[in-house]
């Protein structure tokens, strides 16, 4: 994964191509009918993200910045939830439910991107779950069980 250095947009496009539910992606900020508010996301994995509330904000932003380094993503109203994946195990903060749908999506993402460790962010709305981000360099923030499992996996690899 890291050798290919796929951008966030390329990852989202791979997910869409493989029937993984994501918010709508817009790559041409001049496209008619863009629904406001909208997220503007930088293509790099640790890049800038902001929510634009007017079409003029988007136009002014892209007059100053390279349009190829950013893309737009529809805003989905709902709760943002994060899961961690470590070698076919899934972890959730705050005792979140890990449904069969979450398990299926995580497994599909792992196979598609050939990742054994990642975090994945969803928006949970009344329509279901949509993947808004896959983080191949997960920090395991406030989830000791997943972090400990990762450490154990690394220790097992070193002992081989």
């Amino acid at each position: 994964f890291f050798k290919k250095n796929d951008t966030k947009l390329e990852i989202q496009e791979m997910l869409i191509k493989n029937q993984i539910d994501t918010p709508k992606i817009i790559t041409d900020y001049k496209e008619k009918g863009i629904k406001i508010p909208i997220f503007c996301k930088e293509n790099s994995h640790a890049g800038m993200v902001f929510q634009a509330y007017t079409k003029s904000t988007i136009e002014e932003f892209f007059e100053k910045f390279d349009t190829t380094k950013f893309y737009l993503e529809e805003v989905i109203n709902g709760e943002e939830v994060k899961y961690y994946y470590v070698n076919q195990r899934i972890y959730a903060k705050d005792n979140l439910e890990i449904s069969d749908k979450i398990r299926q999506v995580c497994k599909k993402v792992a196979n598609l991107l050939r990742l054994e460790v990642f975090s994945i962010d969803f928006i949970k709305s009344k329509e279901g779950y949509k993947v808004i981000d896959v983080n191949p360099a997960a920090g395991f923030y406030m989830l000791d069980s997943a972090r400990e499992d990762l450490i154990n996996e690394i220790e097992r690899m070193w002992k081989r």
Side-chain angles (χ1 to χ4, degrees):
F1 177 87
F2 290 105
K3 287 181 181 178
K4 293 190 311 185
N5 198 27
D6 294 314
T7 66
K8 285 177 72 113
L9 176 58
E10 289 167 333
I11 298 298
Q12 288 299 94
E13 288 173 336
M14 275 191 258
L15 299 179
I16 292 166
K17 181 180 173 187
N18 287 276
Q19 288 83 45
I20 295 172
D21 205 8
T22 69
K24 182 180 176 188
I25 301 295
I26 300 162
T27 55
D28 180 4
Y29 77 96
K30 294 180 181 178
E31 185 178 305
K32 292 187 187 230
I34 292 177
K35 187 178 171 189
I36 301 294
I38 194 158
F39 283 110
C40 182
K41 295 187 169 186
E42 191 171 2
N43 280 333
S44 65
H45 285 279
M48 172 181 13
V49 175
F50 70 91
Q51 193 169 5
Y53 293 91
T54 66
K55 181 84 169 156
S56 63
T57 299
I58 296 166
E59 291 166 353
E60 289 172 26
F61 179 81
F62 283 116
E63 286 174 8
K64 296 175 182 159
F65 292 92
D66 182 354
T67 59
T68 63
K69 294 186 187 245
F70 295 87
Y71 64 97
L72 301 173
E73 181 180 276
E74 82 174 311
V75 171
I76 306 291
N77 293 318
E79 175 188 8
E80 186 173 338
V81 292
K82 180 184 287 286
Y83 295 89
Y84 296 95
Y85 184 93
V86 178
N87 196 25
Q88 301 181 22
R89 289 190 221 63
I90 301 164
Y91 300 87
K93 290 189 334 185
D94 304 322
N95 296 321
L96 282 175
E97 175 191 0
I98 303 173
S99 67
D100 287 339
K101 175 72 174 170
I102 295 296
R103 290 181 197 289
Q104 290 169 356
V105 170
C106 288
K107 185 175 181 179
K108 196 170 186 178
V109 167
N111 291 332
L112 176 66
L113 300 179
R114 297 184 178 148
L115 291 171
E116 292 180 21
V117 176
F118 59 91
S119 67
I120 186 167
D121 300 335
F122 293 87
I123 291 292
K124 179 183 176 185
S125 69
K126 57 186 172 196
E127 289 82 34
Y129 289 87
K130 290 189 184 246
V131 176
I132 58 171
D133 197 16
V134 175
N135 303 296
F140 299 101
Y141 178 68
M142 294 183 66
L143 197 58
D144 292 338
S145 59
R147 185 175 25 258
E148 288 167 9
D149 205 23
L150 174 61
I151 291 167
N152 291 335
E153 285 297 319
I154 292 169
E155 287 173 348
R156 276 191 283 265
M157 287 172 32
W158 283 11
K159 289 177 182 177
R160 290 182 198 161

